[in-house]
Amino acid sequence: MEKVGSTSPGWYDGFRGRDVISARDFSREDYEALFRYADLYEEDPGFYRGLLKDCIAALVFVEPSTRTFHSFETAARILGCGVTAIRDPSMSSIAKGESLHDTIKMIESYGASIIILRHPARGAALYAAEISRVPVINAGDGSREHPTQAMLDLYTIARKRGGIDGLRIAFLGDLRFSRTVSSLSYALSSFKDIEIFYIAPPILQIRREVKIYLDDRGVEYKEIIDMDKAREILRSVDVLYVTRLQKERFPDPSEYEKLKGAYTVGPEILSIMRSDAGIMHPLPRVDELSPELDSKPNAWYFDQARWGLNVRVALLSLILR
Ligand code: CP
């Protein structure tokens, strides 16, 4: 379906009018252009102020969020958009049983220029995009994907490290239910000489669909179950990306109870990792990442979250301008 989107000469047009459903849908050129526009947010913040006229950003959040909701809302307001939001599904007609189909049709009919959707169902964003005449951004669809998190994760790595090619990255924690790990894995496949290590017990290992994609794209990855082996690998990685146990996604609560508290990354990790290596986390954290790390230069996660605003300002402007 053709989407509504304006044109503007001299502007990178790889995102114009597009849905953002999967990190698989974007090229290296797209990501690098996005980073340039994200840099511009800091170099010349006035550039973006009020850039989009007559825009309405509709945030439809059927699951909780702090970072994604607030950074998109702030980005939209910086750009001069009006904002309309479903923030608490219990206060919308979703609580009365309204379908996602009807919710999207209604939001669109009230003049939304773009719909930013977070939903617990895998595939919800793609479904919404098929219904909607305006672009849809996937702000997280169950355990499947969170492509704008991957964009800000890549941006953070590029800024901190000076580039993405040649990256050695270890993911640690709940890799099975983490949508940020799958999206970042997909996004990394657009870059050269990437090595990925998935460190988790078998029950939390990376999903088959991600491995099939990486195999197709020729990306090198290893699944690590043994903790001695994991420690060896952590000596040489550029980035350790930690995730929390996604309690809300465990089909069996007793499995979550068994795994709760099974891993915590604390300051002792710094004696293993390279001095210039970074620790990332999409946040929120629960107990898997010690606050004692927060003041260390290796703790990249607050910059990572903060730069989500740069990336989302750039993304909205590239889609809508
Ligand atoms: N990283 C992330 O998606 O955080 P929120 O759930 O707070 O939006």
Side-chain angles (χ1 to χ4, degrees):
M1 181 188 294
E2 193 166 323
K3 300 285 176 174
V4 176
S6 61
T7 57
S8 178
W11 189 252
Y12 180 76
D13 65 1
F15 289 92
R16 186 173 295 143
R18 284 180 75 177
D19 299 309
V20 178
I21 305 302
S22 169
R24 288 170 293 192
D25 298 339
F26 298 93
S27 64
R28 178 185 183 120
E29 186 189 9
D30 292 330
Y31 287 122
E32 289 181 342
L34 182 67
F35 302 162
R36 289 197 299 277
Y37 283 81
D39 282 345
L40 188 59
Y41 174 68
E42 273 171 49
E43 287 161 13
D44 184 8
F47 175 83
Y48 283 112
R49 219 153 272 283
L51 186 73
L52 300 179
K53 300 277 182 287
D54 305 322
C55 157
I56 296 176
L59 286 84
V60 179
F61 275 59
V62 187
E63 272 195 336
S65 167
T66 298
R67 278 146 291 276
T68 313
F69 184 93
H70 287 284
S71 57
F72 265 122
E73 182 185 19
T74 306
R77 292 193 191 284
I78 287 167
L79 290 162
C81 299
V83 175
T84 178
I86 292 177
R87 183 71 224 259
D88 176 0
S90 73
M91 294 300 288
S92 83
S93 286
I94 294 169
K96 300 180 212 162
E98 183 155 75
S99 66
L100 178 60
H101 175 278
D102 289 359
T103 302
I104 295 296
K105 290 311 291 176
M106 290 303 101
I107 298 282
E108 181 194 274
S109 73
Y110 298 139
S113 319
I114 192 160
I115 297 172
I116 300 156
L117 175 68
R118 171 167 289 191
H119 198 282
R122 288 166 61 87
L126 179 60
Y127 177 65
E130 285 168 2
I131 295 162
S132 173
R133 285 184 305 113
V134 298
V136 170
I137 295 182
N138 181 2
D141 61 335
S143 59
R144 195 177 211 171
E145 277 216 55
H146 192 352
T148 66
Q149 178 73 40
M151 289 169 179
L152 72 92
D153 290 345
L154 282 184
Y155 179 66
T156 302
I157 295 167
R159 268 186 78 157
K160 293 279 191 185
R161 189 174 169 269
I164 295 169
D165 291 337
L167 180 78
R168 283 167 65 83
I169 182 168
F171 291 98
L172 171 75
D174 177 357
L175 313 183
R176 180 175 299 273
F177 297 116
S178 167
R179 54 193 174 204
T180 70
V181 173
S182 41
S183 282
L184 181 54
S185 298
Y186 295 146
L188 285 169
S189 73
S190 291
F191 294 84
K192 284 189 220 148
D193 302 326
I194 302 296
E195 271 189 275
I196 303 177
F197 302 94
Y198 295 113
I199 304 172
I203 193 167
L204 296 177
Q205 264 297 349
I206 190 72
R207 296 192 301 275
R208 192 162 166 266
E209 76 216 32
V210 181
K211 292 191 281 181
I212 290 171
Y213 185 81
L214 296 180
D215 286 337
D216 283 350
R217 304 266 290 181
V219 178
E220 274 197 46
Y221 67 89
K222 290 194 178 71
E223 292 168 88
I224 310 294
I225 291 159
D226 178 75
M227 281 319 288
D228 287 334
K229 178 83 181 148
R231 266 186 283 276
E232 196 52 43
I233 282 160
L234 291 179
R235 290 184 193 288
S236 63
V237 295
D238 302 289
V239 171
L240 169 62
Y241 190 108
V242 185
T243 63
R244 75 182 165 94
L245 280 181
Q246 312 283 304
K247 179 182 182 182
E248 65 278 25
R249 315 241 180 264
F250 275 70
D252 178 353
S254 72
E255 287 294 345
Y256 170 77
E257 288 302 322
K258 273 190 248 167
L259 290 161
K260 195 171 68 174
Y263 59 95
T264 304
V265 174
E268 65 285 350
I269 199 83
L270 300 178
S271 63
I272 299 176
M273 293 177 69
R274 277 188 359 233
S275 60
D276 62 342
I279 297 169
M280 297 177 69
H281 191 304
L283 304 178
R285 63 179 158 188
V286 185
D287 55 9
E288 67 287 344
L289 189 61
S290 167
E292 287 177 65
L293 278 167
D294 294 357
S295 59
K296 310 290 184 197
N298 313 75
W300 292 0
Y301 35 89
F302 290 125
D303 284 337
Q304 180 187 356
R306 183 162 57 89
W307 290 338
L309 181 61
N310 305 34
V311 168
R312 288 173 174 134
V313 166
L315 181 66
L316 289 178
S317 64
L318 286 166
I319 293 172
L320 290 173
R321 186 154 185 242

